[in-house]
Amino acid sequence: NVTSSNSNGMRTTTQQQPLHYCRSKSDSTHQAINHHSHHNYPSSYYANNDNFNQQHNQQHSQQQQQHSQQQQSLLVQQREEEYALQVMQQRETELRDINRQMHAVNEIYKDLGEVVEQQQDQIDEVEDKFAGAADATRRGLEQIDKAKVKSERKGWRNRGKSDEEEK
């Protein structure tokens, strides 16, 4: 688009037709061919235009590279996030497994505690019976000793009588 001022001072915009470039057979200069008219421009015009096209192409190439780099960066970031999510999910699963195992160990300790308590009751009962048996044995021995002493006294008396009777 080309903006220009007319004789009344008003600005007008006209649409410029695309330019096509060709080389003349007789001349090595470029000529721009407009759809409406043919103009002969100096070679500096074409050099500037070529320079513009090169700059435009370089800018476009740089933009494409930046866009490609951004896409690659986003893909890398997305992969890193997916990996981090997988790691977190794996750790969560492992923590749940550890939690289940800890509950199982806790139940084992509770059961073991109950068994020990039951066995302790049985052990206490056996100890009480042993203590009772020991006490009964001690009393029995005392009774045997008393009986022995009594028997010996009677035996001495009876022997003494028997000895006297024999005489």
Side-chain angles (χ1 to χ4, degrees):
N1 292 336
V2 175
T3 304
S4 60
S5 298
N6 63 12
S7 61
N8 296 335
M10 295 188 67
R11 292 187 141 196
T12 59
T13 303
T14 58
Q15 193 170 23
Q16 189 176 19
Q17 296 296 324
L19 297 176
H20 300 281
Y21 300 98
C22 66
R23 286 200 156 166
S24 168
K25 291 181 182 179
S26 62
D27 183 345
S28 65
T29 61
H30 288 91
Q31 291 183 347
I33 301 172
N34 190 316
H35 287 289
H36 297 292
S37 64
H38 299 306
H39 297 284
N40 287 330
Y41 294 103
S43 62
S44 63
Y45 170 80
Y46 297 108
N48 287 338
N49 200 13
D50 286 342
N51 201 12
F52 172 78
N53 285 338
Q54 286 176 347
Q55 288 176 349
H56 177 73
N57 288 340
Q58 286 175 347
Q59 287 176 347
H60 183 70
S61 175
Q62 288 173 349
Q63 288 173 349
Q64 284 180 331
Q65 287 176 347
Q66 288 174 348
H67 181 71
S68 176
Q69 288 172 348
Q70 287 173 346
Q71 284 181 330
Q72 289 175 350
S73 176
L74 288 174
L75 284 174
V76 168
Q77 184 179 1
Q78 182 181 7
R79 287 181 184 144
E80 287 173 350
E81 289 173 358
E82 288 172 356
Y83 177 75
L85 180 63
Q86 288 175 349
V87 168
M88 286 190 320
Q89 289 172 342
Q90 182 180 4
R91 287 182 181 165
E92 181 181 1
T93 301
E94 290 170 353
L95 286 173
R96 285 186 180 160
D97 289 343
I98 290 170
N99 191 14
R100 277 189 219 110
Q101 292 170 359
M102 287 176 60
H103 283 292
V105 169
N106 188 27
E107 288 299 316
I108 290 170
Y109 274 112
K110 284 180 182 178
D111 292 344
L112 185 61
E114 289 175 10
V115 167
V116 167
E117 187 177 323
Q118 289 172 354
Q119 288 178 348
Q120 187 61 46
D121 289 344
Q122 293 171 351
I123 289 170
D124 290 345
E125 191 176 316
V126 168
E127 282 180 352
D128 290 344
K129 288 183 180 180
F130 273 122
D135 188 46
T137 303
R138 184 183 44 79
R139 281 183 294 167
L141 286 174
E142 287 174 1
Q143 291 295 325
I144 291 174
D145 285 342
K146 283 182 186 178
K148 192 176 181 183
V149 168
K150 240 184 191 180
S151 162
E152 287 176 357
R153 283 187 195 163
K154 280 187 179 184
W156 285 112
R157 284 185 210 165
N158 287 336
R159 270 194 205 166
K161 289 181 183 178
S162 315
D163 288 339
E164 288 177 14
E165 288 176 8
E166 292 178 3
K167 292 186 190 175

